[in-house]
Amino acid sequence: MKLCTEPWSTITVANNGEVKPCLCPHWHRVGVIGNLLRQSLQEVMTSDVLKKFQQRILGGDYSYCENSCAYKDHVTDKDPDVIKKLNLPKKIVLAIDKNCNLACGSCRIKNVFSSKPDKNAEVILNRLYDSYREKEVEIQFDGLGDLFASKAYNNFLQKKFGSNVKFHIITNGNLLTKNEKLINKIKDNILSIDVSLDAANSKTYKEVRGGVFNLVKDGIKMCTSLGIKTNLSFVVQAKNYKELTKFWEIGVQLGCGQTMFHMIRRWHHMTDKYWIQNSVEHLPKSAREVLAEQLTFLKKTKLKITEDSIPVNMTGDLWNFKP
């Protein structure tokens, strides 16, 4: 049967401890299923809210899933028995620490950085460490700030990890070379490092993210030289919509594993003025046609790494984008 196993296999965790199912909480309307600051992970995964959502999926009802979900249009046949083995999530997505070395306009209105560890992040990380001492898990961090700017994460990564624990790291990349020693320590546990680049040249990068484009490229080269799968991420917005194809070409040149494209979303901190100036929906039709043409090209790229191509993934709202 057509079955998405995400409601069993994956959770996201926020800084306030709230847990939601699946890879992205904006891809569904389920809401909060528990809180890791007050409950054990086992208690969260047996909540009534989660059980009701899982029953819907088992019945083939995906009405709680948003069209922006990257999986909704690509659900494959699976034996329902696979979910019996998922007593605890196999993948955990963390957005628990705001600390970051940059202040990108799409994420925040001011820089957030402290040399002290975030207390909530410490509690959550320690609880997960205890839950997965012997069980297999993939931990993706961090969707809220930058791993390498976080004291809580630095302390966490000094712990000993067996081969049962794997990491997906999300970073802006500006601190990669500075943290070469730490990356070397955990490289056998790293499945991938995803670098949020959002640009294809220094000028656009400075405007969108405020960091140093060439420094990030040096960090990517360092990671690929260590044998770490390094991916690139791109948030599509008015300032960079012309650069999707060139961005993908940079990924090919740097030997990256894949590129991932996301549509910019309106977060609570964005003013009306900012949203009008930066959202794709406010672009003129001619600009949207330029974007659509690039998306058409990217959807036709090869699904494996070759000398002249790397795979492309994109969220559903981009996959179905119409000018």
Side-chain angles (χ1 to χ4, degrees):
M1 63 176 290
K2 297 287 185 182
L3 176 64
C4 178
T5 57
E6 286 289 295
W8 289 266
S9 66
T10 308
I11 59 170
T12 63
V13 186
N15 178 262
N16 60 3
E18 290 184 348
V19 180
K20 297 180 181 180
C22 303
L23 183 65
C24 178
H26 300 282
W27 291 355
H28 59 74
R29 299 189 300 280
V30 179
V32 178
I33 61 172
N35 192 299
L36 272 185
L37 295 179
R38 302 191 297 267
Q39 298 171 283
S40 68
L41 185 55
Q42 289 82 357
E43 289 173 327
V44 171
M45 296 308 296
T46 55
S47 74
D48 290 339
V49 175
L50 179 59
K51 287 181 178 179
K52 288 179 181 178
F53 181 45
Q54 291 172 340
Q55 288 303 313
R56 283 178 177 270
I57 298 301
L58 281 173
D61 179 0
Y62 289 84
S63 60
Y64 269 41
C65 305
E66 301 284 4
N67 290 331
S68 58
C69 175
Y71 301 136
K72 187 175 181 180
D73 295 329
H74 308 283
V75 178
T76 57
D77 287 323
K78 295 185 183 69
D79 186 335
D81 286 343
V82 299
I83 62 176
K84 294 180 180 179
K85 302 176 182 179
L86 299 173
N87 297 320
L88 288 179
K90 293 292 186 181
K91 185 169 185 177
I92 297 174
V93 182
L94 300 180
I96 60 173
D97 197 327
K98 290 183 178 180
N99 283 290
C100 187
N101 54 304
L102 300 182
C104 308
S106 59
C107 294
R108 57 192 66 194
I109 57 175
K110 63 180 181 179
N111 183 257
V112 178
F113 178 77
S114 174
S115 59
K116 297 179 180 180
D118 182 285
K119 296 301 182 182
N120 284 2
E122 281 193 317
V123 171
I124 293 167
L125 289 169
N126 288 334
R127 180 154 286 174
L128 292 177
Y129 186 78
D130 291 339
S131 297
Y132 288 97
R133 287 184 181 274
E134 298 178 357
K135 297 180 182 295
E136 292 185 358
V137 67
E138 296 177 12
I139 303 177
Q140 177 177 302
F141 37 52
D142 185 274
L144 191 62
D146 194 277
L147 169 83
F148 298 110
S150 162
K151 183 64 175 177
Y153 275 124
N154 186 275
N155 293 340
F156 176 69
L157 294 174
Q158 300 306 321
K159 296 177 182 289
K160 292 183 179 180
F161 296 96
S163 59
N164 58 304
V165 180
K166 299 297 183 182
F167 301 138
H168 290 281
I169 295 174
I170 299 174
T171 175
N172 60 56
N174 284 264
L175 297 175
L176 285 172
T177 54
K178 185 176 180 179
N179 285 275
E180 183 176 5
K181 184 177 180 180
L182 176 59
I183 292 171
N184 261 301
K185 174 188 177 297
I186 61 173
K187 69 177 183 179
D188 291 339
N189 297 95
I190 298 176
L191 289 175
S192 69
I193 293 181
D194 294 355
V195 181
S196 302
L197 201 56
D198 298 352
N201 59 66
S202 298
K203 183 176 181 295
T204 302
Y205 186 78
K206 190 72 174 179
E207 186 176 0
V208 174
R209 286 200 160 262
V212 182
F213 190 69
N214 288 332
L215 177 62
V216 180
K217 290 176 69 176
D218 288 342
I220 294 170
K221 292 174 184 176
M222 180 196 78
C223 292
T224 56
S225 70
L226 292 172
I228 298 171
K229 182 181 179 181
T230 308
N231 305 316
L232 297 183
S233 181
F234 192 105
V235 177
V236 182
Q237 51 196 289
K239 293 176 180 176
N240 62 17
Y241 74 91
K242 296 179 181 179
E243 300 178 17
L244 276 67
T245 305
K246 291 182 179 179
F247 167 83
W248 173 80
E249 291 172 352
I250 288 174
V252 176
Q253 294 165 7
L254 292 176
C256 293
Q258 65 178 9
T259 55
M260 178 69 188
F261 294 92
H262 310 260
M263 183 82 81
I264 189 172
R265 289 187 173 82
R266 185 166 186 174
W267 303 109
H268 66 277
H269 71 276
M270 294 178 179
T271 63
D272 290 343
K273 180 179 179 181
Y274 180 91
W275 184 244
I276 291 170
Q277 290 176 340
N278 291 277
S279 70
V280 173
E281 68 183 60
H282 288 96
L283 287 173
K285 184 173 177 59
S286 58
R288 291 169 64 85
E289 289 173 346
V290 170
L291 172 57
E293 183 178 354
Q294 293 174 91
L295 292 172
T296 298
F297 167 81
L298 291 169
K299 286 189 282 188
K300 294 179 180 179
T301 56
K302 296 177 181 177
L303 297 178
K304 59 182 180 179
I305 299 173
T306 67
E307 290 185 0
D308 58 359
S309 181
I310 57 175
V312 170
N313 286 301
M314 62 181 70
T315 51
D317 44 9
L318 282 171
W319 186 270
N320 300 308
F321 180 79
K322 302 294 182 184

